[in-house]
Amino acid sequence: MILLRILIIFSYFTILHSSTVFAQSLNIGIQLYYDKNFSASLEHLRPLAIQGQNEAQYLIGDMYYFGYGLPIDYIEALKWYKIAADQGHKLAKHSIGDIYYYGKGLPVDYDEALKWYRMAADQGDEAAQNTLGLMFETGKGSPINYAEALKWYGMSANKGHLYAQGNLGYMFEFGKGLPINYAEALKWYRMAADQGHARAYYSLGLMYENGNGIGVSYIKAHVLYELSSDGGIKDGEKFKQKLEAKMTSEQLSEAKLMKKECFKNYKNCNF
């Protein structure tokens, strides 16, 4: 009886030690991954992935997908993502959706993309929720369904996803599946702009220039177009130049001062 108790205690501490070593090796592998020391990270992660650790499996999938320390191999990435996804890893499910959506290593398949994005979205992945909204809005993998698009955009936007906030603003501005509502459009564009969303700057600029739901302000529109242009929106520069033809020298000077304050701190802009 005493021997049995000793064996039970010994087994317990052996398992506890093994679990601790397992967790430590995973943490080291993850840290090395984010330190961009991919070869060393792989030495820690691969044995854990083979033993069934889904975070290790997911990160190895990323290494193959992005070419982090390994040659880019989308099929190998898909293999590891699916192994992790089978164990419930939501970001792995999202990544599988990306492979099918963008046709990485295999033909574009919107039906498969929609399936995997939905699985990730159902687990609360806000980026997948936003992409689902986009697919329902544009009819990829499903007939166009604005109600579904609004649902998924809304879920993602309420979690703070800046692209979903911008997309939701667009739906309200142009009445996609619901009446045009400029106040709601402004609200969501402003939320996205507060997070640095260049397309939201551009959309707000249009609303200020045209007075949609807000008083016309060429000064604010000018600054917003410039912010959007700096963020990579080509039409931002084009619309800024067109707007300048309608502005007085005083307005241009004021816009220049406002831009200076905005570049110091966006919250100073008061858009």
Side-chain angles (χ1 to χ4, degrees), residues 18 35 57 81 108 170 183 196 219 229 232 247 255 258 260 265 271:
S18 297
D35 288 342
Q57 293 161 349
Y81 286 148
V108 168
Y170 177 85
I219 294 166
S229 176
M247 296 174 70
M258 178 178 276
K260 188 176 180 181
N265 185 344
F271 290 126

Side-chain angles (χ1 to χ4, degrees), residues 155-198:
M155 289 173 67
S156 181
N158 281 312
K159 292 178 182 175
H161 194 280
L162 77 164
Y163 294 110
Q165 291 170 345
N167 290 334
L168 200 53
Y170 177 85
M171 298 287 279
F172 279 109
E173 182 182 6
F174 293 98
K176 299 279 187 176
L178 74 181
I180 288 173
N181 188 327
Y182 291 136
E184 279 294 302
L186 283 165
K187 180 184 84 172
W188 290 108
Y189 283 148
R190 283 168 172 157
M191 286 185 188
D194 285 346
Q195 297 192 71
H197 187 4

Side-chain angles (χ1 to χ4, degrees), residues 103-117:
K104 297 291 188 178
L106 40 76
V108 168
D109 188 333
Y110 291 133
D111 291 339
E112 277 295 300
L114 189 76
K115 180 183 83 175
W116 286 100
Y117 283 139

Side-chain angles (χ1 to χ4, degrees), residues 2 40 43-45 83-84 120 146 170 180 190 198-199 224 243:
I2 293 173
E43 289 179 12
H44 285 272
L45 295 178
I83 293 170
Y146 292 140
Y170 177 85
I180 288 173
R190 283 168 172 157
R199 176 62 63 177
L224 284 159
L243 180 61

Side-chain angles (χ1 to χ4, degrees), residues 24-34 40-41 44-45 59:
Q24 287 174 345
S25 187
L26 177 62
N27 290 336
I28 292 168
I30 291 171
Q31 186 59 56
L32 288 167
Y33 177 91
Y34 288 111
S41 174
H44 285 272
L45 295 178
L59 291 176

Side-chain angles (χ1 to χ4, degrees), residues 85-248:
D86 286 344
Q87 297 190 76
H89 199 291
K90 70 178 179 181
L91 295 181
K93 293 173 184 177
H94 184 160
S95 296
I96 295 168
D98 286 344
I99 286 176
Y100 285 114
Y101 187 91
Y102 296 107
K104 297 291 188 178
L106 40 76
V108 168
D109 188 333
Y110 291 133
D111 291 339
E112 277 295 300
L114 189 76
K115 180 183 83 175
W116 286 100
Y117 283 139
R118 190 189 290 277
M119 284 192 274
D122 285 340
Q123 286 183 245
D125 179 18
E126 59 267 28
Q129 290 166 346
N130 174 62
T131 306
L132 268 184
L134 182 63
M135 294 184 79
F136 281 114
E137 182 191 346
T138 57
K140 291 180 177 177
S142 165
I144 289 173
N145 187 329
Y146 292 140
E148 279 292 296
L150 285 163
K151 180 185 84 172
W152 290 109
Y153 282 150
M155 289 173 67
S156 181
N158 281 312
K159 292 178 182 175
H161 194 280
L162 77 164
Y163 294 110
Q165 291 170 345
N167 290 334
L168 200 53
Y170 177 85
M171 298 287 279
F172 279 109
E173 182 182 6
F174 293 98
K176 299 279 187 176
L178 74 181
I180 288 173
N181 188 327
Y182 291 136
E184 279 294 302
L186 283 165
K187 180 184 84 172
W188 290 108
Y189 283 148
R190 283 168 172 157
M191 286 185 188
D194 285 346
Q195 297 192 71
H197 187 4
R199 176 62 63 177
Y201 294 146
Y202 173 74
S203 297
L204 280 173
L206 287 171
M207 295 190 81
Y208 272 109
E209 181 178 359
N210 298 313
N212 290 338
I214 198 164
V216 171
S217 174
Y218 289 167
I219 294 166
K220 289 184 177 181
H222 187 279
V223 175
L224 284 159
Y225 287 148
E226 186 153 358
L227 286 169
S228 75
S229 176
D230 290 344
I233 305 299
K234 292 181 181 179
D235 281 346
E237 179 62 25
K238 182 174 73 174
F239 275 72
K240 186 191 82 168
Q241 291 178 6
K242 285 184 178 180
L243 180 61
E244 286 174 354
K246 300 190 285 186
M247 296 174 70
T248 65

Side-chain angles (χ1 to χ4, degrees), residues 48-49 52-59 80 83-85 87-89 92:
L48 300 177
Q53 213 294 324
N54 67 353
E55 183 67 15
Q57 293 161 349
Y58 165 69
L59 291 176
W80 284 104
I83 293 170
Q87 297 190 76
H89 199 291

